């Protein structure tokens, strides 16, 4: 996975919204840069995957009290998605 190339392509698009912020933050997180990922993941917090990724970044940076509610939200959303019928 070429996170550097992805981040280079995404950087000029950061102002366009949550999806880009999430992808950029997730790339930083995957490169073991949770502190740098946090502001981008916070900007994308309405996206369920971003909430879980933000929780992971906060946990990795020693902020479990902020991380746990976000991780629980991500888990709850995942369970709902797993239980919903496909295609509806």
């Amino acid at each position: 996975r070429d996170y550097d190339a992805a981040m280079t392509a995404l950087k000029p698009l950061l102002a366009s919204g949550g999806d880009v912020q999430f992808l950029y933050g997730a790339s930083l997180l995957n490169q073991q840069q949770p502190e740098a990922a946090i502001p981008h993941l916070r900007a994308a917090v309405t996206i369920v995957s971003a909430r879980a990724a933000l929780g992971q970044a906060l946990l990795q940076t020693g902020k479990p009290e902020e991380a746990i509610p976000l991780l629980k939200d991500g888990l709850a959303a995942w369970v709902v998605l797993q239980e919903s019928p496909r295609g509806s």
Side-chain angles (χ1 to χ4, degrees):
R1 297 181 185 199
D2 191 352
Y3 294 113
D4 289 328
M7 291 169 55
T8 298
L10 292 169
K11 194 167 189 170
L13 306 172
L14 285 172
S16 67
D19 291 341
V20 176
Q21 291 283 350
F22 168 64
L23 292 171
Y24 195 83
S27 294
L28 287 165
L29 188 57
N30 285 318
Q31 289 187 309
Q32 305 305 312
Q33 298 179 52
E35 197 71 45
I38 289 172
H40 300 287
L41 296 171
R42 282 194 196 280
V45 79
T46 59
I47 300 169
V48 172
S49 297
R51 293 179 67 77
L54 176 57
Q56 184 181 1
L58 289 165
L59 193 61
Q60 289 179 14
T61 56
K63 300 172 185 123
E65 66 287 341
E66 290 181 72
I68 291 170
L70 293 165
L71 293 169
K72 284 182 178 179
D73 286 351
L75 178 60
W78 181 82
V79 168
V80 169
L81 288 172
Q82 294 304 309
E83 293 175 350
S84 67
R86 303 281 183 220
S88 51

